[in-house]
Amino acid sequence: MVTEQAKRDAAHLYGQMLLIRRFEEQCERLYMDGKIRGFLHLYIGEEAVAVGALSVVRDDDYVITHYRDHGHALARGMSPKAVMAELFGKVTGASGGKGGSMHLFDVKKRFMGGHAIVGGHLPIAVGLALAVKYRGGDEVVVCFFGDGAVNQGEFHESLNLASLWNLPVLFFLENNLYGMGTHVDRAHAGGRDIFQSADSYKIPAAQVDGMDVMAVSEATAEAVKRVRSDGGPVFLEAMTYRFRGHSVADPTAYRDSAEVEVWRDRDPISLFGKFALEQGLIEEHTLDRLDTVVEEVVAEAVRFAEESADPPPEALYAHVYS
Amino acid sequence: MAELTIRESIARGLREAIEGDDAVLLMGEDIGAYRGAYAVTRGFLDDYGPERIKDTPISESAIVGAAIGAALAGLRPIVEIMTINFLLLGIDQVVNHAAKLRYMSNGQMRVPLLIRTVTGGGAQLGATHSQSLEGWFASVPGLKVVAPSDPYDALGLFRTAVTDDNPVIFAEHALLYGVRGEVPDAHYAIPFGQAKIKRLGDDVSLIGTSRMVHVAMDAADLLARRGVEAEVIDLRTLRPLDTESAVESAKKTGRVVVIEEAWRTGGFGAEVASRIQEEAFDHLDGPVGRVGGADVPSPYAGKLEASVIPSPEKVADAVSDLFGM
Ligand SMILES: Cc1ncc(C[n+]2csc(CCOP(=O)(O)OP(=O)(O)O)c2C)c(N)n1
Ligand SMILES: [Mg+2]
């Protein structure tokens, strides 16, 4: 028997993934038009990870992520307008136009960034968790990072410290098999099942299909529950794939199209759409409605960004110091 | 009034901070059970317990990064990095994260993080353990950098550092911990960005921070024997920098020597010298002189090492070479 709640959840998951997909497809076009500049790293193909994971955390839990952050920001409920305006470098952007694509922040939503030094935000996640524990709270810090970060010293320092001090961090690895053009097989001596390295620090760990939003959300719910009750860290690895290049400037010469096709066949959005239809979790007309709604949200975000002003000159020296 | 060493005045500042605010916690390598590599935190673990006095693994990046995270969540962590040489392993956290998060988040975040660390050479510890790198950090917007020279300033500046909502690097010179001086019992604090005139003189201005202030004072004694009256300026903070006091002194004496323990090339002294010549050029009798550390990795052998670090004699010689006095 399919409950109304299950239907609402399914529509939410589908709608969020679709929003990220359409939002970023639009970003790609805007980049080609020169409206968005700098680096633009798309999350297309990986939507099930952020959406599944963040669908089961609390509003007062902390979320922190790496530079491929649009998906996490939108899944956390950040305003698409503020995110788009940030990509346009406008004053109405999430960071007033001073952060850019890789540095999105919404502290009110406990979305703590957007960090563009690979591996650099892992110690910060540990520190957020230290503060939670110091105050006797039960919030969880969800920290996303890529397979590239695993080979940084800060990864190991952070796992060690979190485990040593029993801190409430969910280390969430998005293993999309590549760090820029370097395959994990050529970067990580421990093999593809990176989650096993958490063993070295006595951190419970599991791997999940990152193209299956339900699987991600269930695994995350379990992990978060464990962190909240035991207080210590848990490690999750989602196996996923980015359909686009590392950034929009990347022609992806380092991987063959057969590999890409295998993963595209498991597109998280169509996979879930099909599953939800079969299970009666969603109806055809709901999919259509979500399509229209998402399109309008994205169009509205672009309109907002277009119409917003550039940061004024005096913004330059604002907020260097508190 | 009490006579304290710099070590004691910083320990007093730390105790006040811990006792005055529950949000303050200390983190660092061997600050607890070992009682501090330079014995500043002796007795702290017994007095405040392991929740407030956190011994860490040897993971400078994680220590600084975790302190940043704790600061973002509203705590006021004070980190001890055993020496500034090791802060290089945490420099990404300091420069790429602590210094930038407020700006990049458009003011949504604040990072009230105090990093205490030990700077300077002169103890024959060899090239990896004898550097004075505070000037590097002083070039980074978003950071503040403090380098006191006496117990009074150390406590007064420390109190300001503790309440500052920005990342602060507090550089304590290894050879100055035992320096004694009068410290009032009554509360006082010293704002950042205010230099102090340590000695008045009309003939030449000697400008420095930290241990170089002591070198300058001794140089002033040497010069006085030759009838040259040197003014000695202790900048006290490198960022914010009190350019005005340095320029004012330069205008008065017309002759300046900037002294720093770090390498001369690209050193912070070059910044100070440059600002002075930009703003006081017409008042100067000659070029702004600079005495800095020799451009070599610091050697172990005692006499070699001594020849690397600016001495009172070198400063006095520079004054006679430059200005014929
Ligand atoms: C410390 C550091 N080194 C190098 C880079 C350049 N860089 C940016 S992203 C990236 C690859 C990261 O790969 P991964 O962590 O797997 O994340 P993904 O791009 O796959 O999401 C590299 C090398 C950087 N930003 N920071
Ligand atoms: Mg990757």
Side-chain angles (χ1 to χ4, degrees):
Chain A
M1 182 56 213
V2 176
T3 64
E4 285 308 306
Q5 184 59 43
K7 284 185 181 173
R8 275 197 299 275
D9 289 348
H12 173 77
L13 294 176
Y14 187 89
Q16 289 265 291
M17 289 196 290
L18 195 67
L19 171 64
I20 296 169
R21 177 70 56 93
R22 297 282 176 265
F23 185 94
E24 288 203 315
E25 286 168 349
Q26 185 64 349
C27 289
E28 208 172 12
R29 285 189 284 271
L30 291 160
Y31 196 89
M32 299 310 160
D33 292 347
K35 295 276 173 66
I36 296 175
R37 308 294 294 263
F39 281 143
L40 182 68
H41 308 96
L42 302 177
Y43 196 63
I44 291 175
E46 307 186 35
E47 295 91 342
V49 182
V51 170
L54 297 182
S55 66
V56 293
V57 302
R58 288 192 332 217
D59 287 350
D60 62 346
D61 289 333
Y62 288 100
V63 178
I64 184 164
T65 184
H66 56 160
Y67 62 96
R68 194 180 297 285
D69 59 354
H70 311 159
H72 310 97
L74 293 173
R76 185 55 173 171
M78 267 179 80
S79 143
K81 287 184 187 171
V83 176
M84 188 63 84
E86 187 61 30
L87 302 187
F88 273 63
K90 296 297 183 72
V91 70
T92 52
S95 298
K98 285 156 77 170
S101 159
M102 304 189 284
H103 309 118
L104 299 170
F105 300 88
D106 190 340
V107 171
K108 285 209 182 78
K109 291 199 160 8
R110 296 211 160 171
F111 183 77
M112 309 304 280
H115 297 267
I117 301 298
V118 172
H121 63 295
L122 275 74
I124 298 178
V126 172
L128 290 165
L130 171 63
V132 168
K133 181 169 179 179
Y134 185 79
R135 294 215 170 96
D138 73 341
E139 303 97 306
V140 171
V141 179
V142 183
C143 175
F144 295 96
F145 53 95
D147 46 283
V150 169
N151 306 310
Q152 287 283 29
E154 287 176 318
F155 170 82
H156 299 275
E157 292 186 19
S158 299
L159 263 62
N160 182 53
L161 202 59
S163 184
L164 192 68
W165 289 354
N166 207 42
L167 301 177
V169 187
L170 171 56
F171 290 103
F172 207 121
L173 166 59
E174 301 180 321
N175 186 348
N176 61 10
L177 301 179
Y178 291 88
M180 286 185 73
T182 305
H183 195 279
V184 275
D185 290 350
R186 296 197 294 124
H188 186 69
R192 285 190 201 184
D193 297 329
I194 296 173
F195 73 102
Q196 289 171 349
S197 62
D199 271 0
S200 316
Y201 303 100
K202 297 198 161 61
I203 298 177
Q207 196 177 51
V208 61
D209 178 359
M211 306 311 261
D212 179 345
V213 71
M214 298 288 272
V216 173
S217 108
E218 279 158 23
T220 309
E222 199 178 310
V224 165
K225 197 170 139 202
R226 180 160 186 178
V227 174
R228 231 187 279 288
S229 56
D230 296 352
V234 170
F235 190 106
L236 261 188
E237 173 178 28
M239 301 307 292
T240 183
Y241 201 78
R242 58 170 158 73
F243 292 170
R244 297 296 200 270
H246 164 68
S247 75
V248 293
D250 168 18
T252 66
Y254 47 84
R255 58 186 198 187
D256 61 39
S257 51
E259 177 185 290
V260 180
E261 279 321 305
V262 170
W263 283 93
R264 274 185 181 281
D265 282 347
R266 305 200 61 243
D267 183 312
I269 301 179
S270 27
L271 213 61
F272 180 64
K274 194 157 156 272
F275 169 83
L277 281 172
E278 279 166 10
Q279 300 292 311
L281 286 165
I282 219 160
E283 280 146 42
E284 210 52 82
H285 67 86
T286 312
L287 295 185
D288 294 343
R289 181 177 56 81
L290 287 171
D291 241 340
T292 320
V293 170
V294 161
E295 212 162 296
E296 182 43 40
V297 169
V298 173
E300 175 65 29
V302 175
R303 236 181 348 261
F304 176 77
E306 295 265 17
E307 287 166 5
S308 291
D310 289 331
E314 62 270 20
L316 185 61
Y317 286 99
H319 303 307
V320 178
Y321 292 98
S322 295
Chain B
M1 247 346 156
E3 203 189 52
L4 296 185
T5 61
I6 287 188
R7 176 182 289 108
E8 289 163 344
S9 69
I10 292 170
R12 185 200 276 189
L14 281 165
R15 285 183 180 277
E16 284 174 8
I18 297 166
E19 288 164 19
D21 186 352
D22 284 345
V24 170
L25 80 170
L26 271 51
M27 295 166 58
E29 294 159 15
D30 285 312
I31 61 169
Y34 187 92
R35 300 176 188 163
Y38 286 84
V40 175
T41 53
R42 184 181 292 153
F44 280 37
L45 182 61
D46 289 341
D47 293 346
Y48 305 116
E51 297 307 315
R52 313 271 321 259
I53 309 299
K54 299 191 85 67
D55 273 327
T56 67
I58 306 163
S59 304
E60 285 78 9
S61 198
I63 297 166
V64 177
I68 293 169
L72 293 178
L75 299 188
R76 303 191 68 90
I78 301 177
V79 163
E80 177 175 310
I81 297 294
M82 201 177 278
T83 81
I84 203 161
N85 308 283
F86 317 144
L87 189 52
L88 295 185
L89 284 93
I91 200 166
D92 165 57
Q93 287 300 333
V94 176
V95 175
N96 275 325
H97 298 84
K100 294 178 174 48
L101 285 173
R102 181 164 183 80
Y103 192 79
M104 291 198 304
S105 69
N106 200 31
Q108 293 182 69
M109 288 177 159
R110 69 171 67 176
V111 187
L113 164 64
L114 172 50
I115 299 176
R116 293 180 41 241
T117 190
V118 179
T119 189
Q124 284 191 261
L125 300 181
T128 59
H129 282 56
S130 304
Q131 300 168 101
S132 302
L133 302 174
E134 59 273 17
W136 287 9
F137 293 95
S139 83
V140 181
L143 300 181
K144 297 187 180 181
V145 181
V146 187
S149 70
D150 65 37
Y152 177 86
D153 287 356
L155 180 56
L157 292 166
F158 190 84
R159 286 177 173 144
T160 299
V162 158
T163 52
D164 200 292
D165 280 337
N166 299 285
V168 178
I169 310 279
F170 199 88
E172 304 163 11
H173 199 291
L175 300 191
L176 295 185
Y177 277 122
V179 166
R180 295 184 168 279
E182 294 285 310
V183 175
D185 297 327
H187 184 87
Y188 68 97
I190 301 170
F192 292 166
Q194 288 188 7
K196 176 156 94 177
I197 301 175
K198 297 282 280 195
R199 174 179 174 134
L200 281 164
D202 289 329
D203 299 331
V204 61
S205 305
L206 307 178
I207 302 178
T209 58
S210 191
R211 196 167 94 78
M212 292 303 105
V213 175
H214 296 265
V215 168
M217 291 298 277
D218 291 345
D221 285 341
L222 293 178
L223 289 165
R225 282 186 225 148
R226 294 189 213 150
V228 175
E229 283 310 318
E231 181 149 297
V232 175
I233 307 278
D234 181 352
L235 295 169
R236 303 200 285 194
T237 58
L238 286 75
R239 190 177 191 118
L241 178 63
D242 182 1
T243 307
E244 205 182 310
S245 294
V247 166
E248 211 172 289
S249 178
K251 283 182 177 169
K252 182 174 88 173
T253 63
R255 303 178 192 93
V256 182
V257 175
V258 180
I259 313 162
E260 69 181 314
E261 188 170 333
W263 301 296
R264 244 177 74 99
T265 302
F268 189 74
E271 176 70 27
V272 177
S274 167
R275 291 193 190 195
I276 290 170
Q277 68 84 17
E278 278 169 357
E279 294 187 33
F281 188 76
D282 290 340
H283 302 262
L284 296 177
D285 288 349
V288 176
R290 291 170 58 208
V291 177
D295 269 331
V296 298
S298 193
Y300 162 70
K303 284 185 184 152
L304 277 184
E305 188 195 32
S307 71
V308 163
I309 301 172
S311 63
E313 293 74 20
K314 275 191 224 167
V315 173
D317 286 351
V319 170
S320 45
D321 290 350
L322 282 161
F323 310 117
M325 55 200 311

